[in-house]
Amino acid sequence: MKKSILGSIYLTLAASIWGGMYVVVKVVVAVIPPLELVWIRYLIAIVTLLIIGLVTRQKWRIEKRYFLIIIAIGIIGNAISIIAQETGTMLSTAQMGAIITSATPAFMVIFARLLLKERLTMKKGLSVSLATIGVFLIVGIGDLDLTSKLGGIALLIAALTWAFMSVLVKLLPSDYSQIVVTTYSIAVALIVLTPFVMPRLLGINISEWGHPSIFGGLLYLGIISTAGGFLLWNRGLQMLNASSGGIFFFFQPVVGAILGWLILGESIGLTFWIGSILILVGVLFIISEK
């Protein structure tokens, strides 16, 4: 039970960090396009992780049989999913980004069943259903134009690929350091993205990076959201089964809505609080199942 609670705390913190990410991405992506933004945030993140790894004297050796899994995590989760997420957020809205990517837990339940043979219980199904209803109540969906629909498709791809990546993490030994695993997977994404990004970097107006909102946003995305968030998420997944862990993703839109209210002046009504309660109940179901 103690392990389950600790894993729940890690996953809640990660999802909350990512909830703030949508507001930050919406600001930064106006200056730095999604592909270049992903590459820059990963460059910041990998420097951060290497420093942490060296200070904590991590063991960097990975068995050869797990190389392909780490490569898949890097390409599917760290490259494809994040680029799709930031592209979708740019084309649509932060709220749509939150609601569509919050479908991730449902996809994780499916992938966990297919790849890990995890049992699909009534409690898991009920928790996902309650949390999904909660998300819809919080952010809602209005009339969509073509650009927003394209953004929605990109966000759906982001949700699918992130769910698949989260289940792949469970195929690695639980005693592997998440600092090492996260560093390697981000390194894979950097290697894959570099040939595409290098010719495009010259087109970015670097003079705009000095603005506090852009510079601070890059640091948040690189250090807190990527390095910190990925570490917390992967560690939390190692303490819970994949389908149960995914439910904590629903904290993301709750935090996003609160920050939208505080920072952007967006209104929060009764449905927000009802939705938040439903999400919390869904999470409590998962914890109590242990």
Side-chain angles (χ1 to χ4, degrees):
M1 187 66 180
K2 182 179 179 182
K3 184 178 179 181
S4 176
I5 292 173
L6 189 58
S8 300
I9 292 172
Y10 287 154
L11 292 172
T12 300
L13 286 173
S16 300
I17 287 170
W18 292 333
M21 177 187 66
Y22 287 95
V23 176
V24 176
V25 167
K26 196 67 182 175
V27 173
V28 178
V29 83
V31 175
I32 306 173
L35 184 62
E36 293 89 321
L37 179 55
V38 172
W39 188 85
I40 293 167
R41 68 183 279 194
Y42 281 170
L43 192 62
I44 296 171
I46 204 165
V47 171
T48 305
L49 289 167
L50 285 172
I51 292 172
I52 294 172
L54 292 173
V55 170
T56 56
R57 297 182 179 180
Q58 297 293 318
K59 295 179 181 178
W60 297 93
R61 185 177 176 275
I62 296 286
E63 293 180 62
K64 289 183 179 178
R65 56 179 169 157
Y66 297 116
F67 280 179
L68 286 178
I69 296 177
I70 289 179
I71 291 171
I73 291 171
I75 295 174
I76 296 170
N78 299 110
I80 297 173
S81 183
I82 302 301
I83 290 172
Q85 179 193 87
E86 294 189 354
T87 301
T89 303
M90 179 185 69
L91 294 175
S92 57
T93 64
Q95 285 190 337
M96 183 180 290
I99 191 170
I100 295 180
T101 53
S102 288
T104 296
F107 297 136
M108 285 178 66
V109 170
I110 296 170
F111 286 130
R113 175 61 182 167
L114 294 174
L115 297 180
L116 305 178
K117 308 302 180 186
E118 289 186 2
R119 190 165 60 94
L120 183 60
T121 65
M122 181 70 73
K123 219 173 218 184
K124 287 178 184 176
L126 182 59
S127 67
V128 171
S129 299
L130 286 174
T132 302
I133 294 171
V135 170
F136 273 93
L137 285 173
I138 289 172
V139 298
I141 296 180
D143 296 328
L144 304 178
D145 56 23
L146 179 59
T147 301
S148 293
K149 288 179 181 177
L150 290 174
I153 292 172
L155 290 165
L156 180 60
I157 292 171
L160 280 166
T161 48
W162 187 263
F164 189 42
M165 181 278 291
S166 296
V167 174
L168 287 177
V169 168
K170 295 290 292 181
L171 297 176
L172 296 172
S174 59
D175 58 347
Y176 272 10
S177 166
Q178 290 309 313
I179 294 175
V180 173
V181 171
T182 306
T183 302
Y184 283 150
S185 62
I186 288 178
V188 169
L190 266 176
I191 292 169
V192 170
L193 294 176
T194 296
F196 301 98
V197 172
M198 280 303 177
R200 300 161 61 101
L201 285 177
L202 297 175
I204 298 177
N205 186 358
I206 299 180
S207 63
E208 296 181 340
W209 293 21
H211 193 280
S213 62
I214 304 301
F215 181 72
L218 287 173
L219 291 180
Y220 180 90
L221 293 173
I223 298 174
I224 300 176
S225 178
T226 305
F230 284 14
L231 284 176
L232 289 168
W233 183 257
N234 290 344
R235 184 56 181 155
L237 285 176
Q238 293 289 6
M239 295 183 169
L240 299 171
N241 62 51
S243 53
S244 296
I247 195 69
F248 292 88
F249 214 80
F250 285 111
F251 276 110
Q252 180 179 280
V254 177
V255 174
I258 292 174
L259 290 178
W261 171 57
L262 292 173
I263 298 172
L264 305 177
E266 297 174 352
S267 61
I268 290 181
L270 178 62
T271 53
F272 171 82
W273 301 112
I274 296 174
S276 298
I277 291 171
L278 290 175
I279 291 171
L280 180 60
V281 171
V283 171
L284 289 176
F285 273 166
I286 288 298
I287 296 175
S288 66
E289 192 172 43
K290 295 292 180 181

